[in-house]
Amino acid sequence: MNLLIMGLPGAGKGTQAARIVEKFGVVHISTGDMFRAAIANQTEMGLLAKTYIDKGELVPDEVTNGIVKERLAQEDVKQKGFLLDGYPRTAEQAHALDTTLSTLHIKLDGVINIIVDPAHLVERLSGRIINRKTGESYHKIFNPPTDYNETDYYQREDDKPETVKRRLDVNIAQSQPIIDHYRTKGLVYDIKGDQEIEFVFEDITEVLLKLK
Ligand code: ADP
Ligand code: AMP
């Protein structure tokens, strides 16, 4: 299965992606995770991406399109299918993805669109904590890890309040045309994201079992 998971920052994409990958065996491709890995490794691309990410801005399309294209061409994607998380985020990226997929002879099966009232997102993002080893996201109140401590978990730099607002503004402005692009192709499955994590996953599972 070849899937996109969409939703504003904090909608629950990463949380649900981890569960989808476990149940359906697809390859998780998160552009945000790829940028954070590049930053941690201090690659040239990582250092460039960091200048945008720290401000809550999007990394330029040509950089982002390049890393996704390269990743989608790898063998594991062909064998297992993929779940793209956090991409595309601009109309230009959506067009680049169409071209990449058709060049690679890959068909997109569905777009999981997680809808959450934007009023809840600041609270979700400001309480988000990440496991340093696995990269998985938890929440101090809504999804606390059993082994929480300040060494093994950290708060993302761009989840601090000053940056969160900018990220939400940028993403709200860009997201609608992209959803519309896939909706006209009949690929979008809207999922109610304002419910407990396990119920969101049940709704997603119902959709994916039909697509399989
Ligand atoms: P995204 O990848 O879309 O930015 P995450 O999956 O990292 O979002 O989730 C953002 C924050 O909200 C995390 O702290 C996560 O634990 C929490 N969260 C995710 N889904 C829910 C939910 N259904 N209800 C409450 N909190 C949630
Ligand atoms: P995320 O982990 O998806 O919340 O992404 C964190 C940050 O990485 C975003 O705020 C952007 O700065 C950058 N980023 C992630 N995905 C993209 C993308 N598709 N296009 C541009 N920038 C991105």
Side-chain angles (χ1 to χ4, degrees), residues 169-181:
D169 288 347
V170 166
N171 283 279
I172 288 169
Q174 304 256 21
S175 61
Q176 201 53 50
I178 302 170
I179 292 292
D180 293 344
H181 174 78

Side-chain angles (χ1 to χ4, degrees), residues 43-120:
T43 67
E44 199 178 316
M45 188 274 280
L47 295 177
L48 172 74
K50 186 171 167 22
T51 62
Y52 295 92
I53 293 174
D54 283 354
K55 287 185 284 188
E57 304 287 342
L58 294 179
V59 176
D61 286 337
E62 59 272 23
V63 177
T64 314
N65 290 334
I67 62 167
V68 172
K69 188 174 176 187
E70 206 173 286
R71 185 67 188 88
L72 284 174
Q74 287 170 16
E75 193 56 29
D76 59 341
V77 169
K78 207 194 282 170
Q79 312 225 321
K80 300 179 185 170
F82 65 83
L83 175 65
L84 251 178
D85 163 3
Y87 180 95
R89 262 178 158 114
T90 65
E92 161 62 29
Q93 291 178 13
H95 290 297
L97 179 61
D98 284 349
T99 307
T100 297
L101 293 179
S102 87
T103 309
L104 294 169
H105 306 291
I106 295 175
K107 184 179 133 286
L108 194 60
D109 296 305
V111 177
I112 302 292
N113 181 35
I114 308 184
I115 301 170
V116 173
D117 181 346
H120 298 160

Side-chain angles (χ1 to χ4, degrees), residues 126-142:
S126 59
R128 172 157 66 182
I129 42 176
I130 311 288
N131 182 300
R132 267 185 215 288
K133 283 202 199 99
T134 65
E136 275 189 274
S137 73
Y138 292 84
H139 193 281
K140 282 186 178 166
I141 297 160
F142 306 137

